[in-house]
Amino acid sequence: MTLLFRDLADVSEEVRSLLCVWRNDPFISKSMISCDFITEEQHLMWLDSVLKGQSSKVSVVFYEDKPIGMVSIRDIDFVQGHGEWGLYIGERDYIGRGLGSLMVQHIVGWGFSDLGLRRLYTSVLSTNERALAMYIRHGFRVEGCWREHLLRDGKAVDIYWMGMLRSEWAPSRY
């Protein structure tokens, strides 16, 4: 399985608009820290800030020439050497095929090798057990927990904070 990662600046407006459609899909948004609906105006403002700024990198993920999701590293601090990463597969037919693992591998290499960061971190809802297990398989450690931080469907949900240092990264595993 080969994935292609295209910088946000190098994809069409149509593909960029897919990011908002995917992000607003309840299946995707339920796993996000913020599950608020994103308006077109908010999406365009986000696109503009990513395209003009240096603290966020976003790539659209393609599988067999079809856009299927996105990966990002945001809040990049090149002085301190860290950034927060995220991903999602927006096309439901592609979930459960092992593509998420390939996306995590890409993010880790991108952050440590390409961007020269020292630390990568992310957050995951305690209810997103598949993502949590995948991140651990790829070498991320739970570094903290914000207990009962969010309400989802009327139930309190924890947020786990996970991180990896470049010194812990084993590129040979991939």
Side-chain angles (χ1 to χ4, degrees):
M1 285 184 276
T2 303
L3 296 178
L4 178 63
F5 298 86
R6 292 189 183 144
D7 188 276
L8 187 63
D10 299 329
V11 299
S12 68
E13 292 294 328
E14 180 182 353
V15 170
R16 289 179 192 169
S17 68
L18 265 178
L19 297 179
C20 188
V21 172
W22 292 333
R23 177 59 181 76
N24 282 328
D25 181 336
F27 184 78
I28 300 297
S29 66
K30 75 178 181 184
S31 296
M32 300 289 183
I33 301 300
S34 171
C35 59
D36 296 338
F37 183 84
I38 308 296
T39 67
E40 184 176 350
E41 181 181 349
Q42 290 169 320
H43 180 67
L44 292 173
M45 287 174 37
W46 172 79
L47 283 172
D48 189 55
S49 71
V50 170
L51 293 171
K52 289 181 178 174
Q54 294 299 312
S55 65
S56 293
K57 307 290 183 190
V58 176
S59 291
V60 179
V61 182
F62 288 78
Y63 180 74
E64 297 179 349
D65 294 325
K66 178 180 176 60
I68 63 154
M70 64 85 67
V71 294
S72 67
I73 302 178
R74 67 184 189 100
D75 296 331
I76 300 169
D77 184 330
F78 288 104
V79 173
Q80 298 300 321
H82 57 77
E84 181 176 4
W85 64 271
L87 69 83
Y88 58 80
I89 297 173
E91 295 294 328
R92 291 189 195 184
D93 292 345
Y94 293 85
I95 295 171
R97 296 185 181 192
L99 301 177
S101 282
L102 295 175
M103 292 163 74
V104 171
Q105 290 173 24
H106 173 80
I107 288 168
V108 172
W110 186 24
F112 292 144
S113 290
D114 300 343
L115 298 176
L117 300 177
R118 179 183 48 77
R119 181 173 184 279
L120 291 170
Y121 62 95
T122 193
S123 58
V124 61
L125 300 179
S126 59
T127 53
N128 195 348
E129 295 170 3
R130 287 180 61 182
L132 179 61
M134 178 175 62
Y135 301 165
I136 290 170
R137 269 195 323 273
H138 285 282
F140 284 87
R141 297 180 187 182
V142 174
E143 296 180 333
C145 176
W146 289 355
R147 298 176 304 140
E148 296 187 9
H149 190 71
L150 298 173
L151 289 175
R152 292 293 157 85
D153 299 323
K155 295 179 183 173
V157 176
D158 298 343
I159 297 175
Y160 293 117
W161 286 94
M162 305 184 75
M164 181 191 298
L165 302 176
R166 183 174 43 217
S167 62
E168 298 168 335
W169 177 44
S172 60
R173 285 178 41 182
Y174 304 119

